Amino acid sequence: MTAPDLSTSYLGLRLANPLVLAASPYTRRADTAIAIADAGIGAIVMHSLFEEEYTHAEEELEKTLSRGTDSFAEATSYLPDTGVEAPSPKKYGELLTSIKRKVKVPVIGSINGSSDGGWLEYASLIQDAGADALELNVYYLAAGATSASVVEDSYLRLVEAVRKRIKIPLAVKIGPFFTALPAFAKRLTESGANGLVLFNRFYQPDIDTETLSVVPQLSLSTSDDLRLPLRWTAILSSRIKADIAITTGVHSHIDVLKSLLVGARCTQIAAEFMHMGPSRVQLLLKDLEAWLVEHEYESVTQLRGSMSAAALGDPTEFERANYIKALRSYDDRLR
Ligand SMILES: Cc1cc2nc3c(=O)[nH]c(=O)nc-3n(C[C@H](O)[C@H](O)[C@H](O)COP(=O)(O)O)c2cc1C
């Protein structure tokens, strides 16, 4: 039997397999990004350029220029190189270009922010640096009194603004906390998103009860965290005209298979590679291939979406009815 075809398409790009490096520290250095590409990853998402970095660079520029007017003698010497430390966006673009030159897989740039402002220039910078696509990570915590519809509208404005700036495909990475996700997801695609990345893993601070302080905590995911993106991908994959990438909780080839079964085009993985290193890619691919052979699938495409809510014909499997069934399953387990 010939080896199964692991290739998939995502955002119009051909990926040799559905394993994608999620935005993570791996791309902060060219050598680690190249190591994971050499191990056989299907595509690379760069770490993000953050809106705050833009604001910071602007403030630094402002400070330098006003310092210049106070000390007249030096003023002109500030201007040629502005005195501002080489802005990180420029370095980011250079890093992306150098990674892109050295790897054969698609490289997706990433920006992370929440407002529709000057920082969106980063989108063009990333396109010009040679990215194959852009991922927009909207990390917005609606902690104020803003209503859901206002928040959603601001996402859509942001997506439209980015779409206008670039020609390359655009994926939008969002969190899971939306009241009516299918309707919102549809509007995101209408605003120009070619893909959705489900879901952003939010930083969740903890409380230290001894020091009564807030502890910044970024705990890495486990496979249990996959359930949330799995359910929503099952519900959304046949309803929206965008490719879905699952992120959060993909650690094993079984997690990859589940993601494909519910309709994801690829899986974006960070924590597992951070624990295990680049060689984990080869093992995941080997296990994925072995599973497909054992279950007589010829390709990833053949299996994709066969367990989406639409394919099952009974969407309630992923909805309320099964919740009641799950609760009842505990009835006989009381001590
Ligand atoms: C240390 C670390 C850095 C990350 N940096 C970014 C980032 O720059 N931009 C982004 O969109 N996501 C970032 N993420 C989120 C990951 O891309 C990924 O979506 C998330 O970790 C869930 O996947 P996982 O369960 O495989 O870790 C980061 C995650 C970790 C653990």
Side-chain angles (χ1 to χ4, degrees):
M1 187 182 170
T2 51
D5 178 4
L6 300 186
S7 70
T8 182
S9 71
Y10 174 57
L11 307 175
L13 306 167
R14 191 188 164 279
L15 275 48
N17 64 70
L19 306 187
V20 174
L21 173 69
S24 65
Y26 262 99
T27 53
R28 289 196 181 269
R29 286 182 6 217
D31 62 337
T32 44
I34 292 164
I36 206 145
D38 287 348
I41 202 88
I44 288 175
V45 182
M46 297 282 295
H47 60 284
S48 302
L49 262 179
F50 285 82
E51 176 178 358
E52 289 75 2
E53 290 176 273
Y54 181 84
T55 319
H56 179 70
E58 290 281 287
E59 277 165 9
E60 286 297 311
L61 179 66
E62 188 79 9
K63 258 194 259 162
T64 307
L65 293 178
S66 58
R67 205 164 53 223
T69 49
D70 290 346
S71 49
F72 179 75
E74 295 103 308
T76 48
S77 65
Y78 284 131
L79 293 173
D81 66 352
T82 72
V84 179
E85 204 188 310
S88 64
K90 185 164 172 269
K91 283 191 195 151
Y92 182 97
E94 288 165 2
L95 182 60
L96 194 156
T97 307
S98 84
I99 291 175
K100 176 77 193 142
R101 279 202 195 113
K102 290 179 189 132
V103 302
K104 292 199 177 69
V105 298
V107 176
I108 301 171
S110 167
I111 56 174
N112 187 320
S114 60
S115 76
D116 167 6
W119 75 283
L120 292 180
E121 286 165 23
Y122 288 168
S124 329
L125 179 148
I126 286 174
Q127 173 172 267
D128 296 345
D132 295 288
L134 177 71
E135 187 171 290
L136 165 67
N137 181 341
V138 192
Y139 191 141
Y140 177 74
L141 192 73
T146 321
S147 73
S149 61
V150 171
V151 173
E152 288 184 7
D153 286 348
S154 73
Y155 272 68
L156 301 175
R157 267 201 311 280
L158 193 52
V159 173
E160 276 163 20
V162 175
R163 179 74 280 167
K164 272 192 204 132
R165 282 175 159 85
I166 55 167
K167 293 201 166 63
I168 53 177
L170 172 65
V172 181
K173 186 172 182 179
I174 55 170
F177 307 117
F178 290 94
T179 310
L181 189 56
F184 178 55
K186 184 165 173 281
R187 292 176 75 206
L188 284 172
T189 63
E190 288 162 0
S191 299
N194 308 105
L196 295 184
V197 185
L198 308 178
F199 290 112
N200 217 350
R201 185 169 162 75
F202 285 126
Y203 146 72
Q204 294 172 337
D206 203 356
I207 300 288
D208 183 325
T209 51
E210 289 308 313
T211 59
L212 294 185
S213 56
V214 178
V215 187
Q217 187 108 40
L218 182 74
S219 48
L220 298 181
S221 69
T222 67
S223 287
D224 282 344
D225 296 311
L226 179 63
R227 305 270 185 90
L228 191 59
L230 213 53
R231 162 194 265 184
W232 280 109
T233 303
I235 292 171
L236 292 176
S237 59
S238 57
R239 289 202 201 182
I240 56 164
K241 289 198 187 84
D243 293 346
I244 296 181
I246 280 192
T247 189
T248 295
V250 179
H251 290 264
S252 67
H253 70 290
I254 295 295
D255 296 336
V256 176
L257 284 159
K258 289 177 184 174
S259 305
L260 296 168
L261 283 165
V262 294
R265 296 265 168 172
C266 62
T267 51
Q268 293 194 2
I269 306 172
E272 182 65 16
F273 296 145
M274 290 174 66
H275 282 307
M276 307 297 289
S279 60
R280 182 71 178 126
V281 177
Q282 287 146 351
L283 285 178
L284 284 175
L285 289 175
K286 198 166 140 266
D287 288 347
L288 184 61
E289 197 175 307
W291 190 97
L292 290 169
V293 170
E294 192 187 333
H295 295 79
E296 298 180 356
Y297 282 97
E298 283 167 12
S299 67
V300 151
T301 315
Q302 192 188 358
L303 138 157
R304 189 177 55 232
S306 54
M307 289 202 64
S308 69
L312 288 181
D314 178 12
T316 58
E317 291 285 351
F318 290 101
E319 296 172 13
R320 187 180 155 83
N322 255 23
Y323 167 57
I324 300 167
K325 221 196 278 177
L327 293 183
R328 291 274 155 78
S329 72
Y330 278 86
D331 287 0
D332 300 328
R333 294 199 221 167
L334 298 179
R335 288 166 194 243

